[in-house]
Amino acid sequence: MDPASQDINLNSPNKGLVADNSDSLSDVPVEGAVGNAANPLPPGLTEEEAEELRTELTKVEEEINTLRQVLSAKERHATELKRKLGLSPLNELKQNLTKSWQDVQTSNAYLRTTEKLGEWNERVSSLVLYKKTQETLSQAGQKTSAALTTVGTVISKRLGDMRNSATFKSFEDKVGNLKVGL
């Protein structure tokens, strides 16, 4: 777009638009437009009334085109402002998702479902079978944790013993000499 042909007045609704209207949408036909040969005048409508309606239709179409151009310019301007502010489409998507999630969390359906799930959780956790299962799993977790701690201690001790062995020290010296040589 040639900057010399743009409207650069910041308060103008035509900001950023090219002076010539070669890309306007006025060529787009409007369905049901009055006055073409395929559409005869409706009964009770005089030629003069039809001409007035055609004139009004032309004016409305021009206004629509102007509004489309203004909207397009405003959208470009908004995009430019967002770019300058560092707002990306991804950030907008994150904000929209966050707002949507907040809306879901405050909806009646979500609140009722959360309440019902809480009630079911209380019922299930008060059952004897649940309590026995919980105790068994807790004991199994404690025993597994103790076993893993023992295995870790044994492995640490073995690695310490291996590191102090003559073979490892010889290997360590060779690797150290190799590093110095590079």
Side-chain angles (χ1 to χ4, degrees), residues 16-150:
L17 291 180
V18 178
D20 70 356
N21 290 330
S22 61
D23 62 345
S24 74
L25 301 175
S26 61
D27 296 26
V28 177
V30 176
E31 289 184 25
V34 177
N36 61 26
N39 291 334
L41 292 176
L45 189 65
T46 66
E47 186 62 41
E48 184 179 297
E49 292 171 331
E51 190 58 39
E52 286 178 25
L53 291 174
R54 284 187 203 107
T55 303
E56 185 177 347
L57 177 61
T58 302
K59 287 179 184 178
V60 170
E61 288 174 341
E62 288 172 359
E63 289 176 8
I64 290 171
N65 288 329
T66 301
L67 291 172
R68 283 183 181 142
Q69 292 171 351
V70 169
L71 178 60
S72 177
K74 295 287 185 185
E75 287 173 339
R76 283 193 303 270
H77 186 64
T79 301
E80 183 64 22
L81 291 174
K82 287 177 184 178
R83 185 190 61 75
K84 287 179 180 178
L85 289 170
L87 300 175
S88 67
L90 181 60
N91 288 340
E92 288 185 53
L93 178 63
K94 287 179 188 177
Q95 290 173 350
N96 288 344
L97 288 175
T98 301
K99 171 123 176 50
S100 296
W101 179 240
Q102 289 172 348
D103 291 346
V104 166
Q105 288 179 317
T106 58
S107 71
N108 287 334
Y110 182 85
L111 295 174
R112 284 193 309 261
T113 303
T114 302
E115 184 180 327
K116 280 294 182 193
L117 289 175
E119 291 173 9
W120 290 350
N121 185 35
E122 288 177 26
R123 288 182 193 161
V124 168
S125 60
S126 66
L127 295 175
V128 174
L129 179 62
Y130 174 82
K131 289 180 179 179
K132 287 182 180 180
T133 304
Q134 183 183 23
E135 289 173 14
T136 304
L137 290 175
S138 176
Q139 290 172 358
Q142 291 171 357
K143 289 179 181 178
T144 303
S145 177
L148 289 175
T149 301
T150 304

